[in-house]
Structures are given as structure tokens and as C-alpha cells.
Amino acid sequence: MEEIITNELKDAESGALARESVKLLLEKKAVDVRLFDVREKTSVTDYYVNATGRSSTQVASLADDVADAMEKKGRRPLRIEGRSGNAWLLVDFGDVIVNVFDRASREFYHLDKHLPEDSAVDISDLVAEVDEKFDIKKN
């Protein structure tokens, strides 16, 4: 079966791309997913998405899944960095940067602490949406 490719995110605002990335990471069982809105703090990017994978294999898979899913919706990453060790992969969409770490790298670099706490975005609605999607109703 052929993959359906849309332009859903081609011209989407950075916030929509960031939220879609968060949702995908949650669906793929990433740990400690956080979203930061840094539009007023830096000119480097609009949003950072930080997530942790449970193994180097999952780190690589999560980064690939984000890149592939967004590309199928019309947004190709500018670059992916960190492939050599799969400890920290960065998927750069320009206005959104997705960081996927293994646990040791997340703790070592502590990138979340370098971002202003007031830039953290509440993603509880996305967590609830993903939880509901995967909730198996008992009879």
C-alpha cells in the first residue's frame, strides 16, 4: 500500500508543527516529552521539543519517525544531526528543533535547564489525546 502524502504541515505555523511533533513522540512512547516556546527568547528557532528514548535504538527510531511523519505532511527537515552515536539526535525544521536524547545524554546536557522555565508549554491536552487514542475500552 502506498503512503498518502499531504501538504497538511507545508505552510503550517511553527506551533502546529511543534505540537504535531510532540504528539507523535508521545504516540511512539518517548519519555519526558517537553515543549518550549522560545519565540520571544531567541532568534535561533521558535520551539524546542525535547524527548528521551529508552535506548539508542529508540532514540534513532524516534528521530526518524518525526522526520518521516512530518515529511509525509509536507515539512522536510533541514538536517538531522547526531547519527554517529544515537545518544542525542537533533531534527531541525528551522522554526522547530526536535531533540531526542538517551537518558544519560539528557541528564548530562540538561538542555531543559538552559531554557527559561516560563517558556515551557503545557502539553497536557496532547498527553490526554494520545492516552485516549490508545485507551482500550473494557466491556
Side-chain angles (χ1 to χ4, degrees):
M1 183 173 219
E2 198 171 304
E3 292 287 336
I4 297 173
I5 298 176
T6 70
N7 283 323
E8 178 181 343
L9 294 174
K10 182 178 180 187
D11 298 316
E13 292 183 8
S14 55
L17 177 63
R19 289 178 58 81
E20 191 69 22
S21 298
V22 166
K23 195 161 68 168
L24 178 73
L25 289 164
L26 292 168
E27 289 173 356
K28 298 292 183 174
K29 306 300 183 199
V31 178
D32 194 21
V33 179
R34 305 227 22 226
L35 174 60
F36 296 90
D37 178 349
V38 294
R39 290 176 292 179
E40 302 298 320
K41 315 287 186 199
T42 181
S43 61
V44 173
T45 191
D46 291 348
Y47 291 90
Y48 281 103
V49 177
N50 295 340
T52 302
R54 293 183 170 96
S55 67
S56 61
T57 303
Q58 188 188 27
V59 168
S61 179
L62 289 167
D64 288 343
D65 288 346
V66 168
D68 292 345
M70 298 310 126
E71 190 167 347
K72 288 176 183 169
K73 293 182 178 188
R75 288 294 291 267
R76 176 174 285 153
L78 301 174
R79 66 181 181 266
I80 300 174
E81 296 183 9
R83 290 235 183 254
S84 60
N86 291 340
W88 174 8
L89 274 83
L90 180 148
V91 184
D92 183 358
F93 292 97
D95 51 358
V96 175
I97 295 176
V98 178
N99 296 292
V100 184
F101 302 90
D102 65 11
R103 190 168 307 282
S105 296
R106 180 92 178 249
E107 290 172 4
F108 179 79
Y109 292 107
H110 221 29
L111 186 60
D112 296 29
K113 290 290 183 189
H114 296 288
L115 297 167
E117 188 56 38
D118 67 345
S119 66
V121 176
D122 180 6
I123 60 167
S124 58
D125 61 322
L126 297 175
V127 171
E129 184 180 331
V130 170
D131 285 350
E132 185 177 314
K133 179 179 179 177
F134 289 103
D135 185 27
I136 299 172
K137 305 284 184 205
K138 294 182 180 180
N139 293 334

